[in-house]
Every structure is written in C-alpha cells, then in structure tokens.
Amino acid sequence: MEELDKLFGGAEQLWQYIKIYAAKAGREATRIVLELYYVVKSPSTPALDKTLIIAALGYQLLPDDKKLLSREKYGLLGFLDNGLALKFAYDKVK
C-alpha cells in the first residue's frame, strides 16, 4: 500500500486521482480499480500480486501525458493499453 501512496503522494491524493478517473472511465472500470485497490490493502495478498496490481493501478491512474501510450497521441491504442493492463491484473488476482 505504501507503494501506491508514494506513487501518488499519499492516500488523499490517490483518492483524487480515482475521482478524476471515475468521471472519465465510468462505473465498471472504476469498480475494478477500487476492487484492486482493496486487494492491495489486504495483508493476505501475496507480494507478487501486490506488485502487479500497483503497476496496473499506477499506469491506469497516471495522467495521460505521463503514460507510455497516451490516448491523445495514439487514439484507440492508447485506450486499449489501459484496459488491458487492468484486465490482466484483475484476472490474475480474481
């Protein structure tokens, strides 16, 4: 959990990113992000799964200009890489 706090500057700042993301992504994608967030917080989640989730959430919630494939520059491809990162992490820990 501390890794997410470090990446986003604390829990409150992380929630601000999630709110912004929720407004853009919609209910279903936001539900997955929140589920992954709570799985990371669980002490019973293995370290490897936490690392995978933190990477997917970090990539998902970072501003578009800091992503490898931004939606503005790559269009649909920039949108798909976000969804695939989330789906991979979600399927792995589901």
Side-chain angles (χ1 to χ4, degrees):
M1 186 59 210
E2 290 119 19
E3 292 86 357
L4 276 176
D5 288 343
K6 288 177 189 173
L7 185 62
F8 291 99
E12 185 57 38
Q13 187 64 30
L14 174 62
W15 280 112
Q16 293 305 317
Y17 279 105
I18 290 173
K19 286 180 192 178
I20 293 167
Y21 176 79
K24 293 181 192 175
R27 178 177 283 167
E28 187 62 26
T30 302
R31 181 187 61 79
I32 292 171
V33 166
L34 289 174
E35 284 181 21
L36 290 172
Y37 171 78
Y38 286 109
V39 169
V40 166
K41 288 182 70 172
S42 171
S44 64
T45 303
L48 184 58
D49 288 345
K50 285 185 179 190
T51 302
L52 175 67
I53 293 170
I54 288 167
L57 286 177
Y59 190 73
Q60 193 68 26
L61 297 173
L62 285 173
D64 283 337
D65 61 344
K66 295 186 180 192
K67 293 184 180 178
L68 187 60
L69 299 174
S70 71
R71 279 178 249 163
E72 287 80 25
K73 190 172 182 181
Y74 295 101
L76 182 61
L77 185 60
F79 179 75
L80 288 176
D81 74 322
N82 289 356
L84 290 175
L86 266 187
K87 181 173 177 11
F88 180 74
Y90 186 74
D91 287 349
K92 171 76 171 90
V93 299
K94 180 164 74 163

